[in-house]
């Protein structure tokens, strides 16, 4: 699975239940308002079926994500929770090294490993594109992740240039 899709799934994972509840509420309201909605019945049914399909995709996504996450170590899960899920209290992470270079390297390794695990459990690029990128939630989340990744790379290249400049200055001195 593409790394950008993996990160999008990780950010979405913590919110899947909330999105499912919103879909349920919307479908219920849509069904109850069908009395005053004068659009053709077939259109109303298609909208409800579309949202039901989105909910099914979310359920499948959560199941596949959990199967992949079950193959990770407790430390790897803590790293993912700290960066993506934010389900554990802040007190849990007291003494957790989240500022060192090794932490950031670990995050990259974990994300790459998870991409491979996603492929193994059936969460492929094709599945994600077919089932998730048809919803505005995932399209918007993917855009945000892409923007974040682009900004991170810009910041990283600025830091690398500054580090290279500092090395050059120290060598010439």
């Amino acid at each position: 699975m593409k790394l950008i899709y993996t990160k999008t799934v990780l950010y979405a994972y913590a919110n899947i239940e909330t999105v499912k509840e919103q879909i349920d509420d919307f479908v219920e309201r849509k069904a109850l308002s069908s009395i005053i909605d004068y659009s053709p019945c077939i259109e109303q049914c298609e909208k409800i079926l579309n949202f039901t399909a989105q909910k099914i995709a979310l359920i499948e996504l959560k199941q596949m994500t959990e199967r992949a996450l079950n193959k990770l170590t407790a430390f790897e899960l803590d790293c993912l929770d700290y960066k993506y899920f934010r389900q554990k209290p802040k007190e849990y992470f007291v003494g957790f090294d989240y500022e060192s270079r090794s932490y950031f390297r670990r995050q990259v390794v974990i994300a790459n490993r998870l991409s491979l695990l996603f492929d193994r459990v059936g969460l492929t690029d094709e599945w994600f594109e077919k089932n998730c990128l048809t919803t505005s939630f995932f399209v918007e989340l993917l855009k945000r992740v892409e923007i974040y990744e682009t900004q991170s790379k810009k910041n990283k290249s600025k830091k690398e240039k500054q580090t290279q400049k500092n090395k050059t200055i120290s060598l010439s001195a």
Side-chain angles (χ1 to χ4, degrees):
M1 177 176 227
K2 291 180 185 175
L3 193 57
I4 195 79
Y5 290 171
T6 298
K7 291 179 180 183
T8 302
V9 168
L10 289 172
Y11 281 115
Y13 177 72
N15 300 306
I16 288 177
E17 288 302 317
T18 304
V19 174
K20 282 174 30 185
E21 289 172 11
Q22 290 173 351
I23 289 173
D24 286 342
D25 290 344
F26 179 80
V27 167
E28 184 179 354
R29 281 185 279 130
K30 191 73 177 157
L32 293 174
S33 70
S34 65
I35 297 170
I36 57 173
D37 187 353
Y38 296 110
S39 63
C41 181
I42 192 78
E43 287 179 16
Q44 294 178 42
C45 289
E46 286 174 353
K47 286 180 184 177
I48 290 173
L49 287 174
N50 182 32
F51 279 102
T52 303
Q54 290 177 20
K55 182 179 175 185
I56 291 169
L58 286 172
I59 292 168
E60 290 174 2
L61 176 68
K62 185 174 182 183
Q63 290 172 345
M64 287 187 281
T65 303
E66 287 174 348
R67 275 186 278 168
L69 291 175
N70 285 336
K71 298 183 188 314
L72 298 178
T73 66
F75 178 74
E76 290 171 326
L77 290 172
D78 285 344
C79 288
L80 291 176
D81 190 272
Y82 183 81
K83 182 172 183 177
Y84 297 102
F85 310 148
R86 302 197 183 259
Q87 293 177 334
K88 295 180 180 172
K90 288 183 180 182
E91 297 81 34
Y92 181 85
F93 294 103
V94 171
F96 188 75
D97 179 23
Y98 53 85
E99 292 180 347
S100 71
R101 291 174 62 192
S102 62
Y103 164 77
F104 293 104
R105 283 191 220 115
R106 279 189 215 112
Q107 284 289 3
V108 170
V109 169
I110 294 168
N112 286 325
R113 180 169 179 232
L114 203 50
S115 289
L116 296 172
L117 290 172
F118 280 162
D119 280 330
R120 289 184 188 153
V121 298
L123 184 47
T124 62
D125 291 341
E126 295 79 24
W127 189 94
F128 183 77
E129 290 166 356
K130 179 184 172 194
N131 295 289
C132 296
L133 290 182
T134 57
T135 64
S136 57
F137 171 75
F138 280 100
V139 171
E140 184 62 32
L141 185 58
L142 179 62
K143 285 179 189 175
R144 290 181 184 193
V145 172
E146 287 172 338
I147 289 169
Y148 176 77
E149 291 294 314
T150 303
Q151 289 175 345
S152 294
K153 287 180 183 175
K154 285 180 184 177
N155 291 339
K156 185 176 180 181
S157 65
K158 286 179 186 177
K159 287 179 185 175
E160 287 173 353
K161 286 178 185 177
Q162 185 63 35
T163 303
Q164 197 64 271
K165 185 178 177 182
N166 289 346
K167 285 181 181 179
T168 305
I169 290 171
S170 65
L171 290 176
S172 63

